[in-house]
């Protein structure tokens, strides 16, 4: 008994001395030198947080982490498995993280960052509401089903419309012959109700509990709104492929015969965890052949914490694309803050990954013409942080978009001003823009099932229309051009690696001739079609983009790229104490940006993706 008491006393004494030594070491210069030595194994943002906590041990709370390993881990840690990236999710204190870093099996440690569905509820500085006519019943805030009467539906169908948007995209013409039949779109979001999707939701998976296998949501005794208690995923799904039955066809998705998998990764408050999303992607990869999944819509993300090459979420997305699934991702809504009207370099993860088709949001001003279109103030701008990649890839309508309303959901209850009648809502954000691109991709694959994710992305960027008023790092390679993208998709023969017919590179919108860009930027280069003279300074309709760039070995942006007063996300951004567990992101005025941006050499294109310099659009000689 006495020996056991002595052993216990000695153990306690050793623990006390180790804790004291660790505390003294943490208060000195040790942690910074240690982290500098192992900076390739830890997220820079997490390292900053550890240094902050090291100086303030009374704040040393547990940090949610994703730890990845070189193969099977031999570290005795308890947590949730994240097998797709050979990792686990767990919570540790700063001194435990420092100890873990030295283990040879550990590959990388980052934050299990909260993800959010990307809507913007403050679009007051963008367009006024032009999609809902004067007698719209948007004042109806009742939550019972009686408001869904035939009279209400009839009144609503005469008031709410997205036809001008479909006209701007050129989608109306395409939808006369193609409607996404046979295509399956997986929507990683908050769920979806059945409105406008009846009998087309194949299955509903719920990953909000963080397990590697989902909870399967059944139809037994479930009210419709409970499928989407936040109200975001239903709206996005309606944009992709709603059949318009609730509005007499006036509010319709691009692919109204596509089918859906609802992959719930954010909860009733619109929040989730990165590790949950990765496990959902893992499950999807296992089931992709069973359901024939070709498109994944991710209208969500989190601020980037590291290079896309180290980001576990980016690695998961890359595996999805390599498996043949087109990943369409929101750029994010970090384009502005309360103190800074324009933020640059604010593309969120996983939209910062080269494999993603990253989408920014455009304000169409409620008209079909593109002449008045501008980038929305909230849409995240490129380049990516910290890699300096050209993003977003493309842009699409994203301001006050009418689509399916999930009644009694969080958005519906807390933002009644966003209602557009009894069955629709008008939401803003890059999430909505992503839906239009995903719907277009479903049409492209309907037209040509042989297209690879890389070719789908190339066609979308090649056919995008350069807007007059939006900056290249706001609109990306241009505005989504559904009509020309589908036409080019039809013309591509993947077997012979040829384009089999000429594709008209322009179309008319309200009497104005709009040209496909015919060239696009990615990585450190520009790809030209025969439509564009690569020695000229002008693309497509004549918008001078190349004057913004000096293409040299160091590939740097000109000094005049950013407007006075703009703020760029740099290495000295201060995220404050609450970085990873609140909604707030804090920025300082003293942000660092170097003249030379790093461009990634590992852009995910195979050598056979671009067959010739003249791929795609040709100099059309036919009559207008």
């Amino acid at each position: 008994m006495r020996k056991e008491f002595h052993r216990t006393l000695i153990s306690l004494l050793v623990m006390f001395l180790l804790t004291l030594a660790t505390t003294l070491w943490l208060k000195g210069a040790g942690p910074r030198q240690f982290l500098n030595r192992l900076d390739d194994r830890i997220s820079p943002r997490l390292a900053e947080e550890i240094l902050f906590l090291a100086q303030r041990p009374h704040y040393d709370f547990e940090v949610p982490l994703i730890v990845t390993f070189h193969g099977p881990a031999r570290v005795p840690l308890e947590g949730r498995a994240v097998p797709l990236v050979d990792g686990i999710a767990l919570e540790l204190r700063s001194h435990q993280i420092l100890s873990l870093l030295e283990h040879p099996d550990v590959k990388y440690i980052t934050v299990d960052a909260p993800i959010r569905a990307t809507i913007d509820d403050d679009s007051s500085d963008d367009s006024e509401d032009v999609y809902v006519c004067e007698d719209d019943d948007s004042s109806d805030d009742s939550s019972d089903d009686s408001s869904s009467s035939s009279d209400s539906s009839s009144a609503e169908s005469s008031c709410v419309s997205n036809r001008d948007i479909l006209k701007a995209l050129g989608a109306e013409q395409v939808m006369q012959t193609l409607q996404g039949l046979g295509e399956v779109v997986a929507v990683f979001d908050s769920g979806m109700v059945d409105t406008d999707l009846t009998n087309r939701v194949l299955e509903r998976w719920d990953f909000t509990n963080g397990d590697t296998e989902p909870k399967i949501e059944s139809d037994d005794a479930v009210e419709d709104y409970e499928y989407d208690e936040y109200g975001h995923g239903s709206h996005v799904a309606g944009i992709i492929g709603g059949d318009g039955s609730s509005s007499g066809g006036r509010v319709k998705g691009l692919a109204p015969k596509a089918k859906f998998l609802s992959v719930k990764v954010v909860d009733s408050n619109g929040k989730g965890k990165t590790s949950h999303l990765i496990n959902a992607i893992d499950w999807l990869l296992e089931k992709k052949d069973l359901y024939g999944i070709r498109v994944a819509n991710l209208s969500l993300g989190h601020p980037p914490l590291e290079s896309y090459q180290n980001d576990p979420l980016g690695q998961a997305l890359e595996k999805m694309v390599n498996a043949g699934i087109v990943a369409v991702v929101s750029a994010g809504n970090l384009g502005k803050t309360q103190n800074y009207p324009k933020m640059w370099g604010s593309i969120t993860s996983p939209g910062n990954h080269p494999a993603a088709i990253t989408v920014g949001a455009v304000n169409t001003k409620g008209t079909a013409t593109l002449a008045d279109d501008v980038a929305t103030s909230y849409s995240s701008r490129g380049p990516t942080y910290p890699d300096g990649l050209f993003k977003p890839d493309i842009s699409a309508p994203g301001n006050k978009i009418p689509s399916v309303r999930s009644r009694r959901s969080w958005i519906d209850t807390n933002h009644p001003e966003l209602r557009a009648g009894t069955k629709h809502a008008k939401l803003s954000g890059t999430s909505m823009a992503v839906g239009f691109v995903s719907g277009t991709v479903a049409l492209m694959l309907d037209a040509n099932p042989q297209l690879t994710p890389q070719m789908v992305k190339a066609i979308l960027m090649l056919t995008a229309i350069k807007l007059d008023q939006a900056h290249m790092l706001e609109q990306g390679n241009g505005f989504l051009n559904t009509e020309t993208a589908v036409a080019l998709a039809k013309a591509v023969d993947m077997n012979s690696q040829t384009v089999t017919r000429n594709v008209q590179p322009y179309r008319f919108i309200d009497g104005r001739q709009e040209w496909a860009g015919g060239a696009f930027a990615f990585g450190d280069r520009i790809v030209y079609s025969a439509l564009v003279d690569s020695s000229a300074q002008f693309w497509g309709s004549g918008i001078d983009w190349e004057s913004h760039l000096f293409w040299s070995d160091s590939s740097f942006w000109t000094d005049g790229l950013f407007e006075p007063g703009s703020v760029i996300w740099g290495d000295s951004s201060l995220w404050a104490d609450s970085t990873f567990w609140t909604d707030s992101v804090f920025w300082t005025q003293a942000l660092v940006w170097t003249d030379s941006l790093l461009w990634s050499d590992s852009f995910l294109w195979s050598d056979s993706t671009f067959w010739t310099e003249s791929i795609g659009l040709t100099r059309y000689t036919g009559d207008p």
Side-chain angles (χ1 to χ4, degrees):
M1 178 72 78
R2 182 173 296 180
K3 288 183 179 179
E4 291 180 2
F5 173 77
H6 285 162
R7 289 196 190 98
T8 303
L9 184 62
I10 291 171
S11 298
L12 290 173
L13 180 60
V14 170
M15 290 178 63
F16 171 75
L17 292 174
L18 286 174
T19 302
L20 179 61
T22 301
T23 302
L24 292 173
W25 180 74
L26 288 174
K27 287 185 176 181
R32 185 174 298 278
Q33 295 175 353
F34 179 79
L35 290 171
N36 287 342
R37 182 168 59 86
L38 298 172
D39 62 355
D40 61 335
R41 301 177 69 178
I42 186 169
S43 160
R45 295 298 174 199
L46 177 58
E48 289 179 14
E49 194 69 21
I50 290 175
L51 290 173
F52 174 86
L53 296 174
Q55 303 297 324
R56 301 163 182 82
H58 52 290
Y59 286 147
D60 193 10
F61 41 79
E62 292 184 330
V63 180
L65 305 170
I66 295 177
V67 182
T68 61
F69 303 93
H70 297 285
R74 297 189 298 271
V75 186
L77 295 172
E78 294 184 4
R80 291 182 181 270
V82 191
L84 186 61
V85 293
D86 294 321
I88 61 171
L90 74 170
E91 296 184 356
L92 295 176
R93 299 182 186 275
S94 60
H95 68 278
Q96 295 172 308
I97 298 171
L98 290 167
S99 298
L100 185 60
L101 266 176
E102 289 196 290
H103 198 286
D105 286 350
V106 171
K107 180 180 180 181
Y108 195 75
I109 304 178
T110 188
V111 178
D112 190 2
I115 57 173
R116 289 190 62 87
T118 47
I119 64 165
D120 184 87
D121 57 11
D122 181 22
S123 55
S124 57
D125 62 337
D126 292 296
S127 73
E128 60 185 69
D129 187 3
V130 292
Y131 299 119
V132 184
C133 62
E134 293 178 359
D135 62 337
D136 170 56
D137 190 23
S138 58
S139 61
D140 173 27
D141 60 356
S142 62
S143 59
D144 57 67
D145 294 333
S146 62
S147 60
S148 300
S149 66
S150 59
D151 291 341
S152 296
S153 297
S154 176
E156 179 175 318
S157 67
S158 66
C159 295
V160 187
S161 175
N162 68 346
R163 285 181 175 172
D164 277 341
I165 297 176
L166 297 180
K167 184 177 179 181
L169 299 174
E172 283 189 323
Q173 295 86 335
V174 176
M175 292 166 61
Q176 293 177 9
T177 56
L178 294 170
Q179 297 189 340
L181 181 64
E183 301 307 319
V184 179
V185 183
V187 180
F188 292 81
D189 216 295
S190 59
M192 58 185 70
V193 298
D194 281 333
T195 303
D196 287 2
L197 302 176
T198 303
N199 298 323
R200 290 191 292 128
V201 182
L202 298 178
E203 205 160 84
R204 290 179 166 91
W205 303 336
D206 184 352
F207 281 90
T208 55
N209 58 5
D211 291 339
T212 54
E213 295 188 8
K215 172 187 174 184
I216 306 297
E217 295 184 318
S218 67
D219 296 332
D220 298 337
V222 173
E223 292 191 57
D224 194 36
Y225 88 98
E226 292 177 337
Y227 287 132
D228 184 6
E229 294 177 290
Y230 182 56
H232 184 270
S234 300
H235 195 275
V236 172
I239 293 171
I240 298 170
D243 63 14
S245 57
S246 66
S247 61
R250 293 180 62 85
V251 180
K252 197 171 186 179
L254 278 79
K257 290 189 178 179
K259 295 185 178 180
F260 291 86
L261 280 172
S262 173
V263 189
K264 185 180 291 187
V265 291
V266 295
D267 60 19
S268 58
N269 295 309
K271 300 177 182 178
K273 282 190 172 183
T274 297
S275 59
H276 299 178
L277 176 54
I278 294 173
N279 281 342
I281 292 173
D282 194 2
W283 180 263
L284 185 81
L285 291 177
E286 290 185 16
K287 305 295 181 181
K288 76 176 186 68
D289 292 334
L290 175 64
Y291 292 98
I293 304 163
R294 295 292 307 277
V295 188
N297 187 105
L298 295 94
S299 293
L300 42 75
H302 67 74
L305 305 172
E306 58 260 314
S307 166
Y308 78 87
Q309 298 177 75
N310 294 324
D311 185 352
L313 181 54
Q315 293 166 10
L317 181 137
E318 183 177 330
K319 291 181 179 181
M320 184 162 58
V321 173
N322 288 340
I325 298 174
V326 181
V328 190
V329 185
S330 56
N333 292 342
L334 297 180
K336 66 177 180 180
T337 68
Q338 185 175 359
N339 296 323
Y340 299 105
K342 277 198 173 183
M343 300 295 302
W344 298 89
S346 52
I347 304 293
T348 56
S349 171
N352 62 342
H353 197 288
I357 299 174
T358 306
V359 187
V362 166
N363 179 356
T364 64
K365 301 294 183 69
T367 64
T369 179
L370 306 188
D372 58 357
D373 290 5
V374 297
T376 62
S377 59
Y378 43 81
S379 183
S380 289
R381 299 172 180 85
T384 64
Y385 175 82
D387 301 292
L389 298 177
F390 183 95
K391 289 279 183 173
D393 297 302
I394 198 169
S395 52
N399 196 67
K400 296 189 175 180
I401 304 299
S403 187
V404 173
R405 167 188 168 191
S406 178
R407 294 167 53 80
R408 291 189 284 171
S409 65
W410 188 95
I411 292 175
D412 189 51
T413 302
N414 289 275
H415 292 283
E417 74 279 4
L418 300 180
R419 297 170 184 166
T422 58
K423 295 183 179 179
H424 296 84
K426 50 188 190 302
L427 303 186
S428 300
T430 53
S431 286
M432 288 63 250
V434 171
F436 288 109
V437 177
S438 292
T440 296
V441 172
L443 295 177
M444 293 169 66
L445 293 173
D446 188 2
N448 187 347
Q450 293 183 322
L451 294 178
T452 62
Q454 291 84 355
M455 185 55 68
V456 166
K457 182 173 182 178
I459 291 172
L460 286 171
M461 296 193 296
L462 195 65
T463 57
I465 298 171
K466 317 303 182 194
L467 298 177
D468 296 349
Q469 301 182 53
H471 193 280
M472 62 186 298
L473 293 177
E474 293 175 325
Q475 64 171 300
N477 285 287
F479 185 79
L480 175 65
N481 184 355
T482 302
E483 182 178 355
T484 310
V486 172
L488 184 52
K490 287 181 179 179
V492 167
D493 185 335
M494 296 297 294
N495 293 323
S496 63
Q497 297 189 350
T498 59
V499 178
T500 59
R501 67 180 76 96
N502 286 356
V503 176
Q504 178 174 310
Y506 61 81
R507 57 190 178 87
F508 287 90
I509 306 174
D510 280 358
R512 172 172 146 146
Q513 191 178 36
E514 301 288 359
W515 286 75
F520 62 85
F522 73 93
D524 61 352
R525 70 194 73 176
I526 296 177
V527 173
Y528 294 92
S529 74
L531 176 67
V532 178
D533 180 355
S534 61
S535 65
Q537 289 290 311
F538 300 95
W539 294 10
S541 59
I543 305 305
D544 182 357
W545 276 31
E546 283 198 290
S547 63
H548 288 296
L549 293 172
F550 287 120
W551 295 98
S552 65
D553 292 339
S554 60
S555 295
F556 63 92
W557 306 104
T558 67
D559 293 335
L561 184 63
F562 303 112
E563 301 174 9
S566 296
V567 179
I568 306 170
W569 186 336
D571 292 335
S572 60
S573 301
L574 297 182
W575 291 59
D577 306 355
S578 56
T579 303
F580 307 120
W581 20 88
T582 73
D583 299 332
S584 300
V585 177
F586 298 92
W587 311 89
T588 66
Q589 294 182 11
L591 297 182
V592 176
W593 196 254
T594 61
D595 289 334
S596 181
L597 289 179
L598 299 178
W599 295 87
S600 168
D601 294 330
S602 57
F603 202 79
L604 299 180
W605 300 97
S606 64
D607 292 338
S608 60
T609 299
F610 301 111
W611 305 318
T612 69
E613 293 181 357
S614 60
I615 181 175
L617 303 174
T618 59
R619 294 187 182 277
Y620 187 73
T621 57
D623 294 331

